[in-house]
Amino acid sequence: MEGDMQLFTVWILFGLLSSCMSQTTVRPAPTPSSSSQPRTERLKLRLSGFPRKHNEGRVELFYKGEWGTICDDDFSLSNANVLCRQLGFVSATGWTHSAKYGKGQGKIWLDNVQCNGGEKSIESCKSRGWGNSDCTHDEDAGVVCKDERIPGFVDPNVIEANVDFNKVEEVRLRPVVATAKKKMPVTEGVVEVKYKDGWAQICDVGWTAKNTRVVCGMMGFPHEKKVNKNFYRRLKRRAAENPSRSKGNVSTGGRLYLERQKNHYHIHSVACMGTEVHLAACPLEFSKPNSTISCDGGMPAVVSCIPGPLFMQNTAFKKKLKTSNNVRLKGGAQPGEGRVEVLKDNEWGTVCDDRWNLQSASVVCRELGFGSAKEALTGARMGQGMGPIYMNEVKCVGQERSIWNCPFRNITSEDCKHSEDAAVRCNLPHMGLENTIRLTGGRTRYEGRVEVYGPDGNGTDTWGLICGETWTTKEAMVACRQLGLGYANQAVRETWYWDSSNITDMVMSGVKCTGSELALSQCQRHKAVSCQKSAAKFAAGVICSETASDLILNAPLVQQTVYIEDRPLHMLYCAAEEDCLSKSAAKANWPYGHRRLLRFSSQIENIGRADFKPKAGRHSWVWHACHGHYHSMDIFTHYDLLSSNGTKVAEGHKASFCLEDSDCQEGISKRYECANFGDQGITVGCWDLYRHDIDCQWIDITDVKPGNYILQIVINPNFEVAESDFTNNAMKCNCKYDGNRVWLHNCHNGDAFSEEAERRFEKYPGQLNNQIS
């Protein structure tokens, strides 16, 4: 396998349709025994059946080359816990019997399974033994797993397709011209499929644009274009006429092309509809074993693809490629993955996951400049959205230009909740960016010092460290994205506690990223390395995670609860100690007089996929005797009053304070309570409520003149704690203050409206009286 070629691997799990179910004589269950046997490969599991979601379904096991089920006799929650952990979920919330998700086919691999709950695999539990069962498929067991992934558990890259024995698993584009091999991504080349220990070609007789569309989608490209076949025919003729010249002149690409001609044509005919997400799902005609038939009158199939704007190198052409402005993805670690959100009436909303499938997901992927869909995710796998749910039961064919062109059902209040928000993972072009970064010294593959491959001081290509002086969460986000390891859980500036046996020199410093880059090489950095603390223990490091939290503020609640209070100074000693008053308060005649406070309630909910926990450990929490609790973060929230031109006229903030679960969605239990030195944090699906009547839940506006302003609240403003999405951390309201009263209008989260609506908000003249203007 040549390193300069694009590789794209998609593993296909396919169900084997079995023959008739054998009748077994019913007999008493034997004494259970361990079903574990010495095995050379990890047991494969999947959830199947209907109706189901990604975290629930009929349990199927792949054993001795065949998929089979588990009987529900003696089944328990302990069994379900073991199975759910094997599938990558933290635990089980329930299990089902009597083939609730439909009857399976093939073998019933396990019966009378009895786990204690702590086993690492279902193989380790007691049972009758493999294939020994007195059940029918009417007794197939299922599980319901808690929708929370185990940190570090990698989702299997699976597309289910019904294919025959000649299955196609790996497909690649092999560039012919030498110059094309050096450019990433590879957009044109011979289509090759993995065959035995090598690669084989496809005969292009009868090849259609629909076939090309499917291949381009697999490679991460949204569009295809016509290939100049004459060029390849000339190349083929030149190679045939002068083979010695071809072998010696790599620049023509002739030698490479000629060598491929010696390969056997594995596929003679492809008949895709154009809506398939993988070549394996298309009707294929394979060559017969030991056949000597060549591609009569044809040549190897060649395709040419057009990358999306994010991967387009030609900047002039990039401007012509437009992606959708009324569909977006939110909450994903990588480009091309996230919760699907659509824009209607200038407000963003989500899509319900009922009947959500790969065809609908592919339409979304392609209209956003990516390839076809790799996964259609259900059950808010990329976190829950806020606001409206606009679509349900989307039924795309796969050829539509936008999800808005697909049939769908409008939502009623009983239909869906945000726990059913649909999401996607799209195929992306292979860029090779992961080959120029690595982690060293860490205890797991998700942590370590960041090393990049680049020129040192002498201009040599080499691996080296990054100076940690300017290293923040934003840079760590880019590093984890480039590594393909999810979100940045922590940006590490001191790495003395990691293994330092193989230390390299520093080759990069002054790194400054926006956080959205695909690789650290796209961030700003010093031209020459300049690092005051150049010792390895001060090198930049990361701790990555497959999941992350996502905090969002309840904007309507702020608007509903706002009021003004003139509070006596003698009641503000604790607040002054915590720096919750404006600077002029220090010159006041304490304890006489008062401060004018703009007060409101704030409810901060975690809609992500991991609990929000303070970065600092308990050992560094600060006790505040006045308020009687420990503070766990330096700054958690900024409260600002801005003029129409963005100038700050007054401010308040939540200096580090106690984080806890005030309340939760139905079915979710509280985990964090800061009283009595308890754990601090916000559980997924829970919120921390700060009522308007508690200290520091205000902005001191004593010195503010009457006028029109913008109230702005920003959660986690310094990016101290990792989140999957920082764009929804800010909330804004139009604010009218007449010297005696205050009104808020248009309160919304920073990413809730369209760009046009946001521009109108910024030009909003305010209220002329107590009526909304």
Side-chain angles (χ1 to χ4, degrees):
M1 193 179 298
E2 297 178 25
D4 59 347
M5 299 302 162
Q6 178 185 25
L7 299 180
F8 185 91
T9 305
V10 179
W11 294 104
I12 306 290
L13 288 182
F14 61 96
L16 297 176
L17 297 175
S18 72
S19 55
C20 297
M21 187 167 51
S22 59
Q23 299 297 317
T24 311
T25 305
V26 177
R27 57 188 180 280
T31 303
S33 60
S34 174
S35 61
S36 61
Q37 300 176 7
R39 288 173 54 81
T40 56
E41 60 181 271
R42 185 171 62 87
L43 183 68
K44 293 181 182 177
L45 289 82
R46 71 180 179 189
L47 296 177
S48 297
F50 184 83
R52 71 171 187 88
K53 294 186 177 177
H54 69 278
N55 60 324
E56 61 179 85
R58 180 177 64 248
V59 179
E60 296 192 352
L61 312 175
F62 192 70
Y63 182 75
K64 288 189 175 179
E66 186 175 351
W67 285 103
T69 62
I70 300 178
C71 181
D72 60 17
D73 290 352
D74 290 334
F75 209 85
S76 67
L77 189 61
S78 295
N79 295 0
N81 274 318
V82 173
L83 288 163
C84 285
R85 285 199 301 273
Q86 275 190 271
L87 288 161
F89 298 95
V90 294
S91 62
T93 60
W95 63 277
T96 64
H97 57 84
S98 305
K100 176 186 174 181
Y101 297 102
K103 295 190 287 187
Q105 295 175 318
K107 299 278 190 182
I108 298 175
W109 278 126
L110 294 175
D111 188 6
N112 297 110
V113 179
Q114 296 178 19
C115 305
N116 61 34
E119 295 87 351
K120 290 187 177 179
S121 170
I122 197 71
E123 297 175 282
S124 305
C125 302
K126 292 180 179 180
S127 74
R128 284 176 174 266
W130 287 103
N132 188 2
S133 169
D134 61 1
C135 300
T136 69
H137 282 295
D138 290 311
E139 301 166 85
D140 283 343
V143 295
V144 181
C145 302
K146 180 177 172 60
D147 192 11
E148 182 180 338
R149 303 295 285 174
I150 295 172
F153 190 96
V154 180
D155 287 328
N157 185 6
V158 171
I159 296 174
E160 294 190 7
N162 293 319
V163 297
D164 64 15
F165 184 73
N166 283 302
K167 59 182 182 292
V168 174
E169 292 181 344
E170 296 182 43
V171 181
R172 74 178 183 184
L173 281 189
R174 186 182 181 97
V176 173
V177 182
T179 53
K181 295 189 294 179
K182 298 177 182 178
K183 294 180 180 178
M184 286 299 210
V186 173
T187 59
E188 182 172 307
V190 176
V191 183
E192 296 190 333
V193 297
K194 193 74 188 296
Y195 180 61
K196 295 182 178 178
D197 295 328
W199 293 88
Q201 296 170 333
I202 302 173
C203 180
D204 76 339
V205 174
W207 186 266
T208 68
K210 293 179 179 179
N211 299 343
T212 300
R213 175 179 169 85
V214 172
V215 172
C216 287
M218 291 175 65
M219 299 293 125
F221 303 117
H223 308 292
E224 68 282 355
K225 65 178 180 179
K226 198 170 182 180
V227 171
N228 182 359
K229 279 196 172 184
N230 289 332
F231 167 77
Y232 289 93
R233 289 194 181 99
R234 285 198 302 270
L235 200 60
K236 178 183 178 182
R237 189 166 57 248
R238 188 186 307 163
E241 292 171 353
N242 197 346
S244 59
R245 180 187 170 200
S246 300
K247 290 180 180 179
N249 188 353
V250 181
S251 63
T252 64
R255 179 172 65 85
L256 180 64
Y257 194 81
L258 184 64
E259 288 175 352
R260 292 293 94 202
Q261 300 311 298
K262 298 174 185 175
N263 277 358
H264 177 71
Y265 282 96
H266 183 45
I267 300 175
H268 282 282
S269 170
V270 180
C272 299
M273 297 288 291
T275 59
E276 298 87 349
V277 297
H278 195 283
L279 201 61
C282 301
L284 305 174
E285 183 184 330
F286 292 87
S287 61
K288 295 177 181 178
N290 303 319
S291 171
T292 57
I293 300 174
S294 62
C295 182
D296 235 6
M299 55 183 274
V302 179
V303 306
S304 185
C305 310
I306 302 174
L310 192 62
F311 308 98
M312 174 67 69
Q313 292 180 336
N314 186 335
T315 52
F317 190 56
K318 187 186 294 188
K319 294 179 180 177
K320 297 180 182 178
L321 286 173
K322 292 184 178 180
T323 57
S324 175
N325 57 6
N326 60 6
V327 180
R328 69 183 183 186
L329 300 181
K330 298 285 283 184
Q334 296 288 335
E337 70 174 31
R339 178 177 62 254
V340 179
E341 295 193 352
V342 292
L343 186 67
K344 180 181 178 183
D345 298 330
N346 286 315
E347 186 175 5
W348 289 99
T350 62
V351 176
C352 190
D353 64 10
D354 291 351
R355 300 199 178 184
W356 185 245
N357 61 20
L358 285 168
Q359 277 65 44
S360 298
S362 290
V363 171
V364 170
C365 288
R366 287 182 185 270
E367 70 175 307
L368 291 174
F370 306 105
S372 51
K374 185 162 54 176
E375 288 181 86
L377 302 168
T378 58
R381 278 285 292 283
M382 291 292 175
Q384 296 185 25
M386 296 288 282
I389 303 174
Y390 287 131
M391 294 179 172
N392 190 18
E393 296 187 12
V394 180
K395 300 175 185 175
C396 300
V397 174
Q399 296 281 17
E400 296 88 348
R401 295 182 68 87
S402 171
I403 189 175
W404 285 107
N405 300 135
C406 303
F408 65 89
R409 199 158 65 85
N410 289 322
I411 298 292
T412 63
S413 57
E414 298 82 23
D415 282 338
C416 291
K417 298 178 181 177
H418 281 296
S419 58
E420 301 169 85
D421 283 342
V424 298
R425 280 200 181 101
C426 307
N427 287 318
L428 304 181
H430 177 73
M431 302 294 290
L433 298 173
E434 71 281 1
N435 299 325
T436 59
I437 187 171
R438 69 185 184 190
L439 298 183
T440 59
R443 296 155 294 195
T444 71
R445 76 184 190 94
Y446 284 84
E447 68 177 29
R449 293 182 194 86
V450 180
E451 287 194 344
V452 290
Y453 192 74
D456 61 8
N458 301 319
T460 306
D461 291 345
T462 183
W463 286 100
L465 299 169
I466 300 174
C467 180
E469 289 171 3
T470 60
W471 194 252
T472 69
T473 302
K474 287 186 177 181
E475 288 72 45
M477 285 166 61
V478 176
C480 291
R481 180 179 300 124
Q482 187 177 353
L483 286 158
L485 296 179
Y487 307 93
N489 189 295
Q490 195 171 336
V492 183
R493 289 189 180 186
E494 292 191 18
T495 55
W496 52 268
Y497 45 86
W498 284 333
D499 178 46
S500 56
S501 56
N502 294 308
I503 293 298
T504 55
D505 295 330
M506 284 191 180
V507 296
M508 192 182 288
S509 65
V511 182
K512 190 175 182 180
C513 307
T514 64
S516 60
E517 295 88 349
L518 298 179
L520 290 173
S521 59
Q522 298 173 359
C523 302
Q524 296 179 20
R525 60 189 185 277
H526 292 155
K527 289 183 178 179
V529 177
S530 174
C531 188
Q532 292 182 355
K533 297 179 179 178
S534 57
K537 67 178 182 179
F538 298 114
V542 293
I543 300 175
C544 304
S545 173
E546 289 288 329
T547 57
S549 60
D550 186 17
L551 299 187
I552 194 165
L553 194 71
N554 185 334
L557 184 65
V558 174
Q559 186 166 320
Q560 293 161 11
T561 56
V562 69
Y563 65 98
I564 287 176
E565 179 193 13
D566 289 333
R567 192 163 183 82
L569 281 172
H570 69 82
M571 300 176 69
L572 291 171
Y573 280 103
C574 279
E577 179 189 302
E578 294 197 10
D579 198 24
C580 296
L581 302 175
S582 60
K583 293 178 182 177
S584 63
K587 301 175 184 176
N589 185 22
W590 290 78
Y592 308 105
H594 66 272
R595 304 298 293 179
R596 174 156 288 189
L597 308 174
L598 177 65
R599 309 199 69 153
F600 47 85
S601 296
S602 64
Q603 178 181 306
I604 299 164
E605 185 173 357
N606 183 359
I607 61 172
R609 294 189 292 148
D611 293 354
F612 184 96
K613 300 183 75 172
K615 180 179 178 181
R618 288 182 177 222
H619 63 281
S620 58
W621 293 359
V622 179
W623 173 253
H624 279 250
C626 228
H627 286 141
H629 57 231
Y630 282 93
H631 287 187
S632 57
M633 292 180 68
D634 290 336
I635 297 288
F636 179 67
T637 314
H638 278 166
Y639 302 147
D640 298 319
L641 199 63
L642 311 175
S643 66
S644 56
N645 64 6
T647 305
K648 190 183 295 186
V649 296
E651 65 179 359
H653 68 273
K654 277 303 198 185
S656 68
F657 61 108
C658 73
L659 288 165
E660 62 182 358
D661 295 327
S662 302
D663 209 347
C664 302
Q665 295 176 9
E666 184 179 353
I668 297 177
S669 301
K670 299 178 183 179
R671 292 186 186 177
Y672 303 101
E673 185 177 7
C674 62
N676 302 317
F677 204 34
D679 278 343
Q680 293 197 22
I682 306 176
T683 305
V684 174
C686 300
W687 51 86
D688 197 356
L689 175 63
Y690 290 86
R691 286 175 51 88
H692 55 81
D693 55 359
I694 66 171
D695 261 9
C696 296
Q697 187 59 37
W698 63 56
I699 299 177
D700 183 349
I701 61 169
T702 305
D703 307 316
V704 174
K705 297 176 180 178
N708 296 320
Y709 300 96
I710 293 175
L711 170 65
Q712 177 176 278
I713 302 176
V714 185
I715 311 166
N716 194 17
N718 298 336
F719 308 107
E720 281 192 50
V721 178
E723 294 187 54
S724 60
D725 187 2
F726 288 106
T727 62
N728 57 13
N729 282 29
M731 187 221 75
K732 294 180 179 179
C733 304
N734 291 123
C735 176
K736 165 70 177 179
Y737 173 49
D738 67 1
N740 297 301
R741 294 170 296 176
V742 69
W743 297 269
L744 294 185
H745 182 50
N746 280 339
C747 290
H748 66 282
N749 292 100
D751 64 343
F753 291 166
S754 67
E755 291 183 14
E756 179 188 348
E758 194 64 26
R759 283 194 295 270
R760 287 204 303 266
F761 168 83
E762 290 169 356
K763 294 178 181 177
Y764 176 66
Q767 294 162 299
L768 303 178
N769 47 47
N770 64 350
Q771 302 297 316
I772 302 298
S773 62

